[in-house]
Amino acid sequence: MNSTEWATLTEFVKHLGRTGKCKVEETPKGWFITYIDRDSETLFKERLKNKRLRADMAEEAKQEREIKKQIERVAQSMPVGNGVDQGSEDEIHRIKVESGVKIGFALGSSKLGSKEKGESSKLVFDEVDDDKSKVKNSTKNGSSGGAGSLALEELMREDEKKKERINRKDYWLCEGIIVKVMSKALADKGYYKQKGVVRKVIDKYVGEIEMLESKHVLRVDQAELETVIPQTGCLVKIVNGAYRGSNAKLLAVDTDKFCAKVQIEKGVYDGRVLKAVEYEDICKLA
């Protein structure tokens, strides 16, 4: 201390405290000092921190004012002479939300009308009504899903018409189906109205038919053949039309309209039900 203006170390410590260079504390164990960092970067960070704290406090104060206004509006919307006494203020409950701000809401008595309760809840919880309106709008949009499904059905019908145009041919024979011989020229040989399996198709219109009973093989034009409709539950081949070449299960037969209800099995259209397929377009599988 001989080279300074202070005679003792205590005087020097007191000077540091008075000038704000250090935080000085006198304790039973002696003097304790804490250096105060006055670096420009440190001061800048400190100012930012204080600014954030002030902003947070201002935001909390603003929220508290808004909530207080809402509580006042709720209290004004509750008539005193309609089953609600002055003690209803005791029913104001304090709750905490995630932000840590306390809000209050009034619980009206059971005598209040549903309309009044609805108004109170609107005043306190405006955001809830906003959410409800969003749900209603989404519900309205969902109701338009009916139009969407109709549009989808229309597209499916157009697709079926397109497939019908492409797959509808003037020939229908294919291997592996059971057909009925309707040629009267073969009646004297016992083949008329007899069934056989198509083993081979020649030039699209002629089939080699192996008769089920005699095992004889005949070549018959498709014009003299007829498709066979099995019992319900059996497998059939769709031989013509939009779903030509698909295998399906026979679900029902409409003898009045000469059509059948089938369900496609396997393939791209697995599970699709065709409600009215003409007899000529399906045939029993061997």
Side-chain angles (χ1 to χ4, degrees):
M1 301 301 296
N2 294 333
S3 301
T4 67
E5 60 183 289
W6 296 281
T8 62
L9 183 59
T10 301
E11 292 296 327
F12 176 65
V13 170
K14 289 180 180 180
H15 168 75
L16 293 177
R18 285 194 300 267
T19 56
K21 292 182 172 60
C22 292
K23 182 181 179 181
V24 178
E25 293 178 289
E26 184 179 9
T27 68
K29 295 183 178 180
W31 292 92
F32 282 83
I33 62 173
T34 304
Y35 176 67
I36 299 176
D37 190 358
R38 297 294 181 181
D39 182 66
S40 59
E41 184 178 353
T42 304
L43 291 174
F44 178 72
K45 291 180 179 179
E46 188 70 21
R47 283 196 298 269
L48 284 180
K49 182 179 178 181
N50 293 333
K51 186 177 181 180
R52 283 195 298 267
L53 288 175
R54 287 194 299 270
D56 292 341
M57 292 175 65
E59 183 65 24
E60 287 186 9
K62 181 180 177 181
Q63 290 181 2
E64 287 180 357
R65 287 195 301 270
E66 291 294 328
I67 292 168
K68 186 177 180 180
K69 290 179 181 179
Q70 290 180 354
I71 294 173
E72 290 175 355
R73 288 198 297 268
V74 171
Q76 292 175 2
S77 66
M78 296 171 61
V80 177
N82 192 18
V84 181
D85 54 13
Q86 296 295 333
S88 62
E89 293 182 358
D90 296 334
E91 296 176 345
I92 302 291
H93 298 279
R94 311 297 291 181
I95 62 173
K96 289 186 178 181
V97 294
E98 291 181 359
S99 62
V101 180
K102 295 182 179 181
I103 65 172
F105 60 93
L107 300 177
S109 68
S110 59
K111 295 181 181 179
L112 278 176
S114 60
K115 182 178 180 180
E116 294 168 354
K117 291 181 180 179
E119 291 176 354
S120 299
S121 62
K122 283 182 180 179
L123 291 170
V124 181
F125 301 108
D126 293 334
E127 293 182 0
V128 174
D129 288 342
D130 292 338
D131 293 338
K132 287 183 179 179
S133 64
K134 291 179 182 178
V135 172
K136 288 181 180 178
N137 291 334
S138 64
T139 305
K140 290 180 181 178
N141 294 334
S143 64
S144 65
S149 63
L150 291 176
L152 180 60
E153 290 177 2
E154 184 63 28
L155 288 174
M156 291 176 65
R157 282 194 293 269
E158 290 296 327
D159 185 53
E160 286 197 8
K161 289 179 182 178
K162 183 179 179 180
K163 290 200 294 285
E164 177 71 20
R165 289 194 300 269
I166 295 173
N167 293 328
R168 176 66 60 179
K169 309 292 184 182
D170 61 348
Y171 54 90
W172 53 270
L173 282 178
C174 58
E175 297 178 3
I177 59 174
I178 296 177
V179 294
K180 184 184 289 187
V181 177
M182 302 302 292
S183 173
K184 292 183 178 180
L186 298 174
D188 57 342
K189 296 182 180 181
Y191 299 129
Y192 182 64
K193 289 190 177 181
Q194 296 300 307
K195 297 175 183 177
V197 181
V198 179
R199 295 302 182 189
K200 186 179 180 181
V201 178
I202 302 170
D203 296 331
K204 298 180 182 179
Y205 299 93
V206 178
E208 283 191 358
I209 313 300
E210 182 184 343
M211 306 308 294
L212 294 179
E213 292 184 0
S214 63
K215 301 299 180 182
H216 295 168
V217 177
L218 312 175
R219 284 193 175 184
V220 186
D221 189 277
Q222 71 171 16
E224 298 178 320
L225 298 172
E226 190 179 82
T227 60
V228 175
I229 307 300
Q231 295 179 350
T232 56
C234 295
L235 288 178
V236 296
K237 170 81 78 175
I238 300 177
V239 296
N240 214 346
Y243 300 94
R244 181 189 184 105
S246 300
N247 292 344
K249 180 186 289 186
L250 183 63
L251 301 178
V253 175
D254 189 340
T255 55
D256 295 331
K257 297 182 180 180
F258 302 100
C259 63
K261 180 180 180 181
V262 300
Q263 183 179 24
I264 298 177
E265 300 218 342
K266 298 181 180 180
V268 179
Y269 305 104
D270 183 25
R272 180 170 294 185
V273 176
L274 310 179
K275 296 182 179 180
V277 183
E278 296 183 1
Y279 284 167
E280 300 84 37
D281 291 343
I282 59 173
C283 190
K284 182 181 180 179
L285 276 170

